[in-house]
Amino acid sequence: MAVVDSTMHVPHPGRASAYLDWLQMLTGAGLILFMWSHMILVSSVLVGPRVMDALAWFFEYTYVAQVGGPLVAFVFLLHFALGARKIPFRTAEQRVVWAHSRTLRHRDTWLWLVQVVSAMVVLLLGSIHMWIVLTDLPITSVKSAARIQSGWLMPLYLVLLPMVELHVGIGFYRIGVKWGFIRRANRGIFRRRENLLTLFFILLGLATLLRFYFMDFH
């Protein structure tokens, strides 16, 4: 039976680390707002393809898509780079984290592990999604439906959707806990509401994917 060294050296964080934590929080909060807004805007296809096309045209006409798309991609990669500072990539570190998680049996520790795993999935699949969309502007409901109906992208989005919403939901919760907005007294209530919000966006995303999948654009 392997013995896990739980006395590994943990460096003392300095002022630079605190600044990086603030930047990580700000980029994370910005991406959370973007993802929720993005989901609501894309789901406008549920009202009608023309509604989505009108919104997409507005963002194209005002150059929000051309400027905002690359900016979001940059913030996305920056946020991952900042978060990677605390991700245990080495096998020895992963063993320590896993051993401590099983020993502590603390819900928030497991949530952090879920966030780390989901971050890896989102980094890979999210990068593919952004590349496909940003290299095929303008955005239209017909193009979106064609991509979903092409075959291989539907499974990609079925994995990406819950991973994004889990990562966003847990991230929102952990920001509140870390910076004192969520306290012991209101933690349970906030967690339940956040779970409902995450479930809402997953169901909204699934409904949107199905709308694209069955949309007749011929």
Side-chain angles (χ1 to χ4, degrees), residues 116-136:
V116 169
V117 173
S118 62
M120 298 300 179
V121 177
V122 171
L123 176 66
L124 175 61
L125 302 187
S127 297
I128 295 173
H129 167 68
M130 286 189 291
W131 176 262
I132 291 174
V133 172
L134 293 178
T135 55
D136 192 26

Side-chain angles (χ1 to χ4, degrees), residues 68-129:
L71 179 61
V72 169
F74 171 75
V75 175
F76 172 78
L77 295 175
L78 175 61
H79 180 71
F80 175 79
L82 292 169
R85 297 176 300 127
K86 301 178 181 179
I87 295 178
F89 289 103
R90 292 187 296 181
T91 302
E93 295 173 336
Q94 293 172 359
R95 288 176 179 172
V96 171
V97 170
W98 179 252
H100 285 183
S101 299
R102 294 182 61 184
T103 301
L104 293 173
R105 296 183 180 180
H106 190 260
R107 183 192 299 269
D108 286 8
T109 302
W110 289 113
L111 288 178
W112 181 79
L113 289 177
V114 172
Q115 195 176 26
V116 169
V117 173
S118 62
M120 298 300 179
V121 177
V122 171
L123 176 66
L124 175 61
L125 302 187
S127 297
I128 295 173
H129 167 68

